[in-house]
Amino acid sequence: MSVGRFAPSPTGTLHVGNLRTALAAWLFARAAGSRFLLRFEDLDDATARPEHEASQKRDLEALGLDWDGEVVRQSDRLDLYRDALADLQHSDLTYRCWCSRREVREAASAPHGETVGAAPGHYPGTCRELTAVQIAEKEASGRPAALRIRADATEISITDRLHGVVTTTVDDFVLRRGDGTPAYNLVVVVDDADQGIDEVVRADDLLLSSPRHALLQDRLGLPHPDWVHVPLVLAPNGDRLAKRDGAVTLEERLALGDTPERIVAMFARSLGLLGDEESPGGITARTLLAGFDPEKIELQPWTLLPRQIEEPW
Ligand code: GLU
């Protein structure tokens, strides 16, 4: 049986952009009769909190989005990530890297460091071929080393259900951060495989990360899922939507007199799944399932206008 998922980071209240992605992921899974899992990606940030998990679950439920089985939490699965890292280390596919984020940014933006079309944080290879003497110097500096995969600047193409074929040169990305935390690009691959997820629906700010995931899946002998990257929600100034942009959480919208049905209808319309002429009355996540057609999904980002923030419809 097919399996989809929603994998939020419990670092705050979900905003309408996250909720709209959750609706899309749920529709893809449920319209295909798949299982749908909820996984909390709680490793990455010191701000991950149980109260945010509770509020995120409440908001998903309020929009009629359900999931199967127990919720999975990455902080309970550190052994899995450690084993995957050990596999890669034994195959000599990794190396230690002492570069700070700033150094990577500066090296990548140097005139010869061409990064057009590369994933965010593209690594220029500074620590890839250090001599024994250079390694000893780095070790003596006391700065903790991250662990990177040797990607050998491999060109990888993935096929996304909405974007088609996406090709990028994969850089040597981080698998374990300097503080010992396994990095997103590793854990997402390990978790998706372990949970049998064969369809990944997420926001398209991660589109260029998927070739990295494909490379890692190949190195670890894991299958590729199908990928669907749905467009982001933007604020009126063109930035990705953030909490400062007004009434952007479910609670804030309900306080303005909005209803879960109208919010679901607004998401469906913005995704191209509900025609302008169709009334939002009676729309729920479940009623959208019957007519769900992925071909209709809009590829343009959706801008949440101030008027929509103050006055929902
Ligand atoms: N935890 C990630 C986020 O909240 C989602 C990553 C994914 O779906 O692969 O953006």
Side-chain angles (χ1 to χ4, degrees):
M1 188 182 205
S2 276
V3 190
R5 50 58 155 197
F6 181 57
S9 308
T11 54
T13 311
L14 294 172
H15 64 50
V16 291
N18 312 126
L19 291 167
R20 179 170 169 272
T21 302
L23 172 67
W26 184 90
L27 286 171
F28 268 93
R30 295 305 197 203
S34 304
R35 281 166 57 75
F36 186 65
L37 308 183
L38 179 61
R39 179 173 80 224
F40 283 117
E41 305 213 320
D42 62 345
L43 290 186
D44 214 31
D45 203 313
T47 58
R49 300 248 192 290
E51 59 268 31
H52 297 316
E53 291 183 13
S55 90
Q56 295 188 352
K57 287 203 269 199
R58 267 198 313 275
D59 287 355
L60 295 172
E61 281 165 348
L63 295 185
L65 309 182
D66 62 346
W67 55 90
D68 297 303
E70 291 294 313
V71 166
V72 162
R73 209 168 274 114
Q74 290 184 324
S75 54
D76 294 333
R77 299 157 63 81
L78 294 172
D79 287 351
L80 274 180
Y81 315 134
R82 204 168 297 136
D83 290 350
L85 273 175
D87 259 15
L88 295 164
Q89 282 176 290
H90 287 146
S91 317
D92 215 14
L93 290 171
T94 64
Y95 63 89
R96 286 178 298 162
C97 167
W98 284 267
C99 297
S100 65
R101 273 175 203 248
R102 180 147 159 258
E103 286 161 350
V104 171
R105 225 176 18 247
E106 285 172 1
S109 61
H112 54 277
E114 190 54 62
T115 58
V116 176
H122 189 91
Y123 186 62
T126 321
C127 291
R128 189 186 296 136
E129 306 297 345
L130 297 179
T131 62
V133 173
Q134 287 169 321
I135 289 178
E137 275 169 19
K138 301 273 187 198
E139 284 173 340
S141 75
R143 193 193 269 187
L147 198 69
R148 285 187 188 267
I149 186 153
R150 289 187 189 279
D152 300 323
T154 311
E155 192 163 282
I156 301 263
S157 297
I158 60 142
T159 303
D160 177 276
R161 188 128 177 222
L162 302 177
H163 295 261
V165 176
V166 176
T167 303
T168 185
T169 303
V170 176
D171 64 332
D172 295 354
F173 56 89
V174 170
L175 299 172
R176 189 183 62 211
R177 300 191 323 213
D179 66 3
T181 311
Y184 163 72
N185 287 316
L186 172 80
V187 295
V188 71
V189 160
V190 171
D191 280 335
D192 285 342
D194 180 69
Q195 296 188 282
I197 284 157
D198 54 7
E199 185 177 67
V200 168
V201 180
R202 61 183 161 217
D204 66 6
D205 55 335
L206 288 166
L207 181 61
L208 288 176
S209 297
S210 292
R212 289 174 167 172
H213 302 167
L215 177 128
L216 203 44
Q217 282 150 355
D218 293 346
R219 300 282 202 265
L220 288 166
L222 302 173
H224 294 183
D226 290 337
W227 283 286
V228 184
H229 290 87
V230 295
L232 277 181
V233 179
L234 302 180
N237 66 1
D239 288 347
R240 54 189 296 177
L241 192 71
K243 298 278 161 55
R244 62 173 175 277
D245 292 313
V248 297
T249 66
L250 185 61
E251 196 183 343
E252 287 163 346
R253 306 219 36 127
L254 297 179
L256 290 178
D258 221 342
T259 63
E261 289 72 26
R262 285 165 73 94
I263 291 168
V264 167
M266 178 173 72
F267 291 164
R269 185 162 292 179
S270 74
L271 283 163
L273 299 173
L274 187 69
D276 281 343
E277 69 294 347
E278 288 173 76
S279 136
I283 298 285
T284 65
R286 207 149 280 283
T287 62
L288 288 170
L289 282 178
F292 178 65
D293 178 2
E295 301 295 317
K296 288 192 189 158
I297 291 189
E298 299 276 353
L299 265 188
Q300 293 308 314
W302 175 50
T303 302
L304 191 69
L305 299 171
R307 194 170 47 78
Q308 286 171 297
I309 292 173
E310 285 150 26
E311 221 188 281
W313 202 269

